[in-house]
Amino acid sequence: MNPEEFKKALEGKGIMVTEKQMEQFDQYLKLLQEWNEKINLTAITQTEEVYLKHFYDSITAGLYVDFNKGVQSLCDVGAGAGFPSIPLKIIFPQLEVTIVDSLNKRIQFLTLLAKTLELDGVHFYHDRAETFGQNKQFRESFDFVTARAVARMSVLAELCLPLVKKEGLFIALKASNTKEEMAEGQKAIATLGGKFREEFVFELPHEAGERHVVLIDKKKETPKKFPRKPGTPNKNPL
């Protein structure tokens, strides 16, 4: 998917892309390719693959969730090279974005990226999701929390749901079949105050694979003991 195809594909879905936004994606690509030679940010570095499997894929969340209701806050857990939150921020500039990642070099890259792209209202925290979720300043404070292919749902729910405010939304972007994961993760989702709303399944253009967008509403407050200590959710999922 070249940049022109990317723009057309989004416009075909009702998402208009300005020239300035196209320039931002171009700058994003160049910086990603440059930094990827120094630190391992992503295995996907070819221009057409980045536009399809990173940029377009990240923005698909905006096809199923309304990010245009005034200023809303979004926390991206384990964003890596900034997916899905930075492409969403470029397309929906009024989003207030917070990114949490456990690797400081990635945070350095993202900080430079936000400065280069002149993105306002983007905040970066070098932290583990488990610790961040216990921080009173951030706990249960976000309208949206996103995670893209970070972990299985039973683990992901514990890392993300504590950050979602009551009546907020947890958005999980998945590449693989989620049926088994969702069955496994039901207990965790309920324990943490979530309720499954809907799952959208679609194919990326150019037969680039199946994708799943899972929406989970936050219905109740998360019990204070969650998330547990760093590493525990992964070793011992709920």
Side-chain angles (χ1 to χ4, degrees):
M1 178 180 272
N2 64 36
E4 195 50 46
E5 288 171 325
F6 165 76
K7 186 172 189 252
K8 275 189 180 155
L10 287 173
E11 287 175 353
K13 300 282 187 187
I15 294 175
M16 297 299 126
V17 191
T18 65
E19 278 312 303
K20 184 194 172 191
Q21 288 166 331
M22 288 303 291
E23 279 169 31
Q24 287 173 310
F25 282 114
D26 182 54
Q27 289 174 302
Y28 194 165
L29 171 76
K30 285 174 179 157
L31 204 59
L32 180 69
Q33 288 171 330
E34 183 192 321
W35 269 66
N36 211 59
E37 290 177 15
K38 298 183 275 187
I39 64 165
N40 181 24
L41 290 166
T42 172
I44 295 169
T45 55
Q46 296 297 320
T47 298
E48 300 210 340
E49 287 212 4
V50 171
Y51 271 90
L52 176 57
K53 294 181 180 174
H54 281 329
F55 296 166
Y56 182 86
D57 186 32
S58 294
I59 296 161
T60 55
L63 303 176
Y64 307 106
V65 178
D66 185 0
F67 293 118
N68 280 315
K69 293 179 188 162
V71 178
Q72 296 179 99
S73 57
L74 181 148
C75 179
D76 193 4
V77 173
F83 308 119
S85 51
I86 300 292
L88 286 171
K89 172 71 180 175
I90 293 171
I91 293 293
F92 305 102
Q94 71 282 16
L95 274 177
E96 193 80 18
V97 170
T98 297
I99 289 178
V100 189
D101 200 275
S102 60
L103 194 68
N104 199 35
K105 282 182 178 172
R106 284 197 289 253
I107 292 293
Q108 288 170 359
F109 163 73
L110 291 166
T111 304
L112 177 65
L113 177 69
K115 193 177 172 187
T116 306
L117 270 49
E118 298 178 348
L119 299 175
D120 295 323
V122 187
H123 317 278
F124 304 102
Y125 294 91
H126 172 224
D127 203 351
R128 294 283 300 245
E130 297 96 327
T131 320
F132 196 74
Q134 285 291 359
N135 186 325
K136 289 191 174 90
Q137 188 186 343
F138 304 108
R139 185 179 176 84
E140 302 196 301
S141 69
F142 296 98
D143 296 306
F144 306 110
V145 175
T146 57
R148 182 172 174 256
V150 173
R152 293 181 72 78
M153 191 58 79
S154 49
V155 178
L156 211 50
E158 187 168 353
L159 302 180
C160 296
L161 276 168
L163 292 162
V164 185
K165 64 162 68 160
K166 205 172 158 193
E167 302 308 326
L169 185 65
F170 166 37
I171 307 160
L173 283 76
K174 294 277 185 183
S176 56
N177 191 336
T178 53
K179 201 171 178 182
E180 190 187 316
E181 267 193 55
M182 289 306 295
E184 253 181 28
Q186 269 183 341
K187 182 190 168 199
I189 291 164
T191 303
L192 298 154
K195 188 182 180 195
F196 172 74
R197 182 201 293 183
E198 202 165 353
E199 177 177 1
F200 299 95
V201 184
F202 58 95
E203 286 280 335
L204 282 179
H206 304 297
E207 297 179 354
E210 189 176 274
R211 292 292 185 269
H212 299 246
V213 174
V214 182
L215 305 183
I216 293 167
D217 290 306
K218 180 77 172 276
K219 290 298 187 187
K220 292 185 293 197
E221 284 184 10
T222 300
K224 287 188 169 55
K225 64 178 177 179
F226 300 112
R228 292 166 292 168
K229 286 180 183 169
T232 309
N234 224 356
K235 282 186 209 139
N236 185 21
L238 288 172

